[in-house]
């Protein structure tokens, strides 16, 4: 039965990655049909560098999220920021490959290098993913109830956060005993919860700012409210379990189409430019760290086990 399930998982991953490639090709074709790439060629290097900077800050925020959410566990060795930053870049680069290799590498790291059991790793990943969903849904809900980017909308979003946290807490309480036992210290620590909420909000702001800068490069009029919505879609699409490629680009381009007022070719170009800015931050640095930092750590642990 396990072999059958494993085979089915592989088939689904292959099909999912194939779908992602097709989605990416569709968006790329739409961008090429626009025909005019002068905005790319004439882009201010400072603006391109700013998009890259927002991608780097976003990755550090995600690394810090794992440090904060795991602190109440009192695990040794601790998931320090010094160790989580290179791990996050490595896993981010590997997530562009099929089978979501970055997520698999992170699980393997926490089990083999950090010495965590399966329940603790599952709870840690669930809590980190939960903060992604919670902040994204709070932002979406606030803009849906008050479709304008102002201080009132921000306040409404901040009010929705604890309500969503309480609902999520009730859902986590229904997890199997081992998972809930591991998740409970992370749920009951106010400092960790505030840090995670702040880091996820900062991450969404980085996504939003990168999209707004990309829109400026392409000459697209994109309001702050639309930028936040596209950022939420981008973060949600990044959680698709079939790999990073295609789903994010199609999600952002499709959401930009729903918002309206953007030329189809330009919204595809915006989606690709945003993804390229993130890939430029993750892939070169992440692959280098995978070879020079991640792999030696795994080999060292393996040699100690022998």
């Amino acid at each position: 039965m396990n072999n059958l399930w494993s085979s089915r998982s592989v088939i689904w991953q292959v099909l999912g990655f194939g779908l992602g490639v097709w989605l990416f090709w569709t968006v790329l074709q739409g961008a090429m049909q626009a025909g005019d790439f002068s905005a790319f060629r004439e882009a201010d290097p400072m603006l391109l560098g700013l998009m890259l900077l927002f991608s780097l800050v976003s990755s550090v925020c995600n690394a810090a999220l794992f440090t904060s959410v795991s602190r109440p566990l009192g695990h040794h060795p601790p998931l320090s920021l010094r160790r989580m930053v290179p791990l996050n870049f490595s896993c981010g680069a590997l997530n562009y490959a099929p089978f979501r290799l970055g997520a698999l590498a992170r699980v393997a790291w926490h089990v083999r290098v950090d010495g965590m059991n399966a329940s603790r790793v599952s709870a840690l990943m669930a809590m980190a993913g939960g903060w992604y969903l919670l902040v994204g849904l709070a932002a979406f809900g606030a803009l849906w109830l008050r479709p304008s980017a102002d201080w009132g909308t921000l306040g409404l979003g901040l009010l929705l956060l604890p309500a969503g946290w309480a609902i999520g807490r009730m859902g986590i309480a229904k997890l199997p005993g081992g998972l809930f036992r591991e998740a409970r210290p992370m749920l009951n620590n106010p400092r960790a919860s505030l840090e995670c909420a702040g880091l996820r909000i900062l991450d969404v702001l980085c996504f939003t700012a990168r999209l707004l800068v990309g829109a400026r490069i392409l000459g697209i009029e994109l309001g702050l409210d639309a930028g936040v919505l596209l950022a939420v879609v981008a973060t949600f699409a990044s959680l698709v379990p079939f790999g990073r490629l295609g789903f994010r680009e199609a999600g952002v381009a499709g959401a930009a189409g729903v918002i309206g007022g953007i030329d189809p070719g330009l919204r595809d170009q915006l989606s690709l430019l945003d993804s390229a800015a993130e890939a430029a931050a993750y892939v070169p640095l992440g692959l280098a760290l995978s070879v020079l930092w991640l792999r030696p750590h795994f080999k060292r642990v393996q040699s100690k086990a022998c």
Side-chain angles (χ1 to χ4, degrees):
M1 185 68 181
N2 288 338
N3 291 335
L4 180 61
W5 173 248
S6 178
S7 299
R8 287 178 177 173
S9 298
V10 170
I11 291 171
W12 278 112
Q13 286 290 330
V14 171
L15 291 175
F17 185 75
L19 176 60
V21 171
W22 178 78
L23 289 171
F24 182 83
W25 176 247
T26 301
V27 174
L28 182 61
Q29 281 187 314
M32 293 176 67
Q33 286 173 1
D36 185 8
F37 290 91
S38 58
F40 286 100
R41 295 191 297 269
E42 300 168 5
D44 185 346
M46 291 292 291
L47 294 180
L48 293 173
L50 194 57
M51 293 184 75
L52 181 63
L53 177 62
F54 286 132
S55 298
L56 293 171
V57 174
S58 172
S59 181
V60 174
C61 287
N62 281 297
L65 178 70
F66 276 89
T67 298
S68 295
V69 78
S70 66
R71 188 181 297 112
L73 296 173
H75 187 81
H76 186 78
L79 275 60
S80 65
L81 189 61
R82 181 175 60 85
R83 298 167 70 238
M84 290 301 101
V85 168
L87 178 64
N88 202 70
F89 275 107
S90 297
C91 295
L94 294 173
N95 274 335
Y96 285 87
F99 302 101
R100 200 79 182 185
L101 289 182
L104 296 176
R106 183 181 289 279
V107 171
W109 172 277
H110 291 316
V111 171
R112 296 178 59 183
V113 179
D114 293 329
M116 292 185 173
N117 59 42
S119 293
R120 176 160 291 190
V121 174
S122 299
L124 180 67
M125 300 285 280
M127 289 295 295
W131 281 108
Y132 262 88
L133 294 173
L134 176 58
V135 173
L137 289 173
F140 181 81
L143 286 169
W144 181 66
L145 293 171
R146 184 184 173 91
S148 59
D150 54 21
W151 291 108
T153 306
L154 176 61
L156 181 59
L158 293 176
L159 287 175
L160 290 174
L161 270 178
W165 180 86
I167 295 172
R169 182 186 174 90
M170 289 188 293
I172 290 174
K174 299 183 182 299
L175 291 173
L179 286 178
F180 178 63
R181 185 169 56 252
E182 296 289 354
R184 185 162 44 194
M186 295 182 274
L187 283 169
N188 293 337
N189 190 295
R191 177 189 170 186
S193 297
L194 288 173
E195 287 179 356
C196 290
L199 288 166
R200 281 299 302 131
I201 291 172
L202 180 58
D203 190 29
V204 170
L205 290 177
C206 286
F207 270 69
T208 303
R210 190 175 63 213
L211 283 160
L212 292 175
V213 173
R216 180 176 176 181
I217 290 173
L218 296 172
I220 298 172
E221 292 186 9
L222 189 68
L224 180 58
D225 53 345
V228 173
L229 285 174
L230 292 182
V232 171
V233 170
T235 55
F236 283 0
S238 298
L239 298 176
V240 172
F242 302 122
R244 163 66 180 74
L245 186 66
F247 295 95
R248 162 88 165 272
E249 292 78 13
V252 171
V258 172
I259 291 171
I262 304 176
D263 180 83
L266 285 178
R267 70 190 184 215
D268 289 334
Q269 289 184 7
L270 174 62
S271 173
L272 292 173
L273 178 59
D274 177 64
S275 292
E278 186 176 77
Y282 273 100
V283 175
L285 184 57
L287 291 179
L289 287 168
S290 296
V291 175
L292 301 175
W293 184 82
L294 191 68
R295 186 167 175 266
H297 272 78
F298 278 125
K299 292 182 70 175
R300 194 175 304 124
V301 171
Q302 186 175 4
S303 63
K304 287 181 180 179
C306 294

